[in-house]
Amino acid sequence: MSETTQREAPLSTTAERQAVTSQAGATPSRDWVIVTRGIKREYDMGGEIVRALRGVDVAIRRNEYVAIMGPSGSGKSTLMNIVGCLDTPTAGEYWLNGTLVSSMKDDELARIRNKEIGFVFQTFNLLPRATALHNVELPLVYAGMSARQRKETAAYALERVQLTSRMYHKPNELSGGQRQRVAIARALVNNPSILLADEPTGNLDSATSSEIMKVFEELADQGQTVIMVTHEADIAAHARRVVALHDGQVSSDTRREHFVAQNSTAIEAKQ
Amino acid sequence: MLFFESIRLALSTIRAQKLKSFFTLLGVCIGVMFLIAVVSIVEGMGRYMEQDLIGKLIGVNSFELRYRPNINIGDVDPSVWESYRRRPRLFHDDVAPVIAALPEGARWAVVSDNNLPVSSRYSGGPRNAQISAVEGEFFAIRKFEIAEGRDFTPQELSMGTPVVIIGPDVVKRLFPTVSPLGRELRMGGLPYMVIGVLKAQGSAIGLSFDNQVFAPWQAPVHRLLNRVPQIIDAVIVQVPSAAQMTEAQERVRQVMRVRHRLRPGQPDNFTLQTSESALAFWNKLKRYLVLAGIALPAIGLVVGAIVIMNIMLVAVAERTREIGIRKALGARRADILSQFLVEAATLSTVGAVVGIALGIGLAKFIAAVSPLPASVASWSIIVGVALGAGVGIISGVYPASRASLLDPIAALRQE
Ligand SMILES: Nc1ncnc2c1ncn2[C@@H]1O[C@H](COP(=O)(O)OP(=O)(O)OP(=O)(O)O)[C@@H](O)[C@H]1O
Ligand SMILES: [Mg+2]
């Protein structure tokens, strides 16, 4: 099968394969932040079944920086939503930090989103009427933190993305890159175990994109687990591991060096 | 989410959408405004009726023996009027036996009154005033106080000395430039000396208590007050406590039945009028007023509730993306539900508070331009605020639960 043939030599796939293929229901070891086993997501469109995911097996270690690539409609966003606990799979298991998330109820998922997950969206998704600071405070509000502590914590998160000077600006008073940095600060403010980004540079020009990629790079260097969806090879090349989706299934899973070597033409054309 | 955070959020939404909020609040605002205004006026009238007017007309713990009631409640049947007309009048001879029958500690007064012209040398032509010829402790029972000068002496009362005590309006009309004390005024062609001036009682509902002249009953003026000189209008009796009212009335009734030679089974042909019988009229009126005071605002509140529900549904639709964002960041269903509930409640409470302010203003305005008194009841303010919050919560439930049930992914995808 193509999946196995493409998991080539330089990959540390043995351990990963063990994690995902070990017996269904078995709790993965603590090394793995994310383990999905045979995740399926099907939409019933009035009798016609749309299979967005057809059995995805992925295992991601703590501190990894992973890019998910694939053509439009391949199921990247669907996978991200499930990994981000915004959606639940129709079949399969999703383990987050050794907890089986795929069978959780609504309010438990909300708690996981609040504590374990930081989301960065293509369209920023900031509250337009709130200041940068207040936007960053939001996850802390739902975590039940006191107003004073909230403000301190949010201000620190904005400092991490170099936006201290724009704390009291509203989104429409900020540039695209600044907005995305506010969104990143908001995603980080609760110290999540994973930072998820669905096409974070999709709405940005190339200069701003590389500015944002630098932020991700730094976060990854500091030990933050990052998973990023993109369909641009040069953006994916920033990650240390690239998982490719095709038609709702993992088609390849490679280290950055290998990915760069294979896609050099596409990447250089952009740079 | 924290309660105060929700309120802060709601207030900022109101601030951001001033015009829309204004229309949202209008229904609740008007409803509460009318509630406060109507209740204030009903309260004010009630307080006035119970404490002031009735007290002045009849007095506390007192009743009046009259040949027919002079305060009539609602419509009186023509046949009843006819029977009143045929009743025998009360005469001064009746006074002594009635007084003799009273229980210990009771106070009494005799009064005859009519409207007559009064004149003085210190002003133009004669002016009409309410002339009362009194005997006994009239001023004490009616709580009339003397501002200047003095009360009648027992000798003046028994001898019918031509002296008078006058109200401040009479002073204004007949003695505009000089002190009335020791000066003369004329009634029925005879001179009377002013020995006292009463404190102002004020007026309400068109009745003035200040355009009055009081003379001893025995003074000549009593002849002008009724067709036959010996007729009296009323014997007023006041007992020390409410518990003694029934007994005193019963004793007076027996005396009068004997004097009028009524056989057992024949109805009384005189009236014992109490403040309760006058209050009964007021209580009946009050019931209608309170009903109107509730029905009118209720309509406003129902309209307000429908408007708020619609506005909140629109708000939920417009802010679907915001709801998606909040859910993605960890808001639970309960958080979203309470956010929109608190928002609706805050919105409508703000409307209620504005309505309370306007209602108090309206009540004060009505009190200022009309003879109706107003008294803002603190309970109506509390009810107003509670109604505001209640209307908001009730009309917010459906929109808020719709918001809380939104699917986060679908919500985020909305433009
Ligand atoms: N709510 C939905 N209802 C029905 N079908 C859906 C729904 N969401 C996604 N799909 C389908 O699932 C498939 C995968 O969609 P997904 O959004 O995950 O693709 P993607 O890889 O993120 O694409 P893109 O690069 O364009 O964002 C598509 O065929 C899409 O039409
Ligand atoms: Mg997508």
Side-chain angles (χ1 to χ4, degrees), chain B residues 5 39 74 83 97 161 185 198 211 221 256 265 267 289 307 313 357 365:
Chain B
E5 185 66 23
V39 165
S83 75
T161 319
L185 56 71
L198 293 171
N211 190 25
V221 74
M256 287 312 295
L289 286 174
V307 172
L313 281 172
F365 175 75

Side-chain angles (χ1 to χ4, degrees), chain B residues 23-106:
Chain B
F23 284 112
T24 312
L25 303 183
L26 209 58
V28 174
C29 185
I30 289 174
V32 171
M33 179 179 87
F34 277 119
L35 177 79
I36 298 285
V38 171
V39 165
S40 296
I41 285 174
V42 170
E43 275 281 310
M45 282 176 75
R47 194 161 298 177
Y48 175 76
M49 285 287 183
E50 282 151 28
Q51 298 177 357
D52 241 42
L53 183 65
I54 303 295
K56 265 175 217 163
L57 285 177
I58 296 187
V60 187
N61 290 338
S62 64
F63 62 91
E64 295 182 0
L65 168 66
R66 289 178 176 273
Y67 88 102
R68 64 170 171 82
N70 71 333
I71 304 173
N72 284 294
I73 298 149
D75 306 323
V76 176
D77 206 72
S79 65
V80 176
W81 270 118
E82 185 54 29
S83 75
Y84 283 165
R85 217 176 49 77
R86 279 200 300 257
R87 283 183 174 185
R89 299 296 299 250
L90 300 177
F91 292 89
H92 199 262
D93 293 347
D94 295 323
V95 175
V98 165
I99 290 167
L102 291 179
E104 198 157 340

Side-chain angles (χ1 to χ4, degrees), chain A residues 88-166:
Chain A
T88 44
T90 3
E93 291 174 13
Y94 169 28
W95 295 83
L96 175 65
N97 282 326
T99 317
L100 186 62
V101 173
S102 41
S103 58
M104 277 188 174
K105 292 268 169 306
D106 227 64
D107 279 359
E108 293 173 293
L109 290 174
R111 203 190 61 82
I112 300 264
R113 288 199 292 272
N114 187 242
K115 300 257 189 277
E116 306 288 345
I117 291 167
F119 252 115
V120 176
F121 302 90
Q122 177 176 356
T123 51
F124 321 130
N125 277 336
L126 299 174
L127 295 188
R129 285 191 282 110
T131 60
L133 184 69
H134 190 75
N135 265 293
V136 177
E137 276 184 51
L138 267 182
L140 304 174
V141 169
Y142 294 114
M145 195 182 271
S146 76
R148 259 243 321 277
Q149 216 182 341
R150 227 156 60 199
K151 200 176 159 186
E152 257 169 45
T153 316
Y156 173 68
L158 280 168
E159 198 182 307
R160 280 180 78 181
V161 295
Q162 276 112 50
L163 274 181
T164 306
S165 60
R166 299 285 187 276

Side-chain angles (χ1 to χ4, degrees), chain A residues 81 86-87 106-107 110-111 113-114 119 121 123 125-127 129 134-135 138-139 141-142 145 150 186, chain B residues 1-2 5 8 12-13 16 319 321-322 325-333 335 339 408-409 412:
Chain A
N81 289 338
L86 283 168
D87 194 9
D106 227 64
D107 279 359
R111 203 190 61 82
R113 288 199 292 272
N114 187 242
F119 252 115
F121 302 90
T123 51
N125 277 336
L126 299 174
L127 295 188
R129 285 191 282 110
H134 190 75
N135 265 293
L138 267 182
V141 169
Y142 294 114
M145 195 182 271
R150 227 156 60 199
R186 182 179 68 184
Chain B
M1 188 172 43
L2 295 162
E5 185 66 23
R8 209 188 54 73
S12 82
T13 307
R319 283 152 64 190
R321 201 187 179 93
E322 174 191 326
I325 295 171
R326 288 178 182 276
K327 286 201 154 186
L329 299 178
R332 290 161 301 147
R333 279 185 182 166
D335 294 322
Q339 179 189 332
I409 298 170
L412 278 171

Side-chain angles (χ1 to χ4, degrees), chain A residues 9-30:
Chain A
L11 301 180
S12 57
T13 48
T14 336
E16 276 161 34
R17 209 172 298 135
Q18 247 170 25
V20 292
T21 54
S22 59
Q23 197 186 335
T27 312
S29 85
R30 294 293 298 167

Side-chain angles (χ1 to χ4, degrees), chain A residues 20-42:
Chain A
V20 292
T21 54
S22 59
Q23 197 186 335
T27 312
S29 85
R30 294 293 298 167
D31 299 346
W32 306 102
V33 190
I34 289 168
V35 171
T36 71
R37 292 185 186 131
I39 278 197
K40 292 185 179 163
R41 182 65 170 97
E42 293 167 356

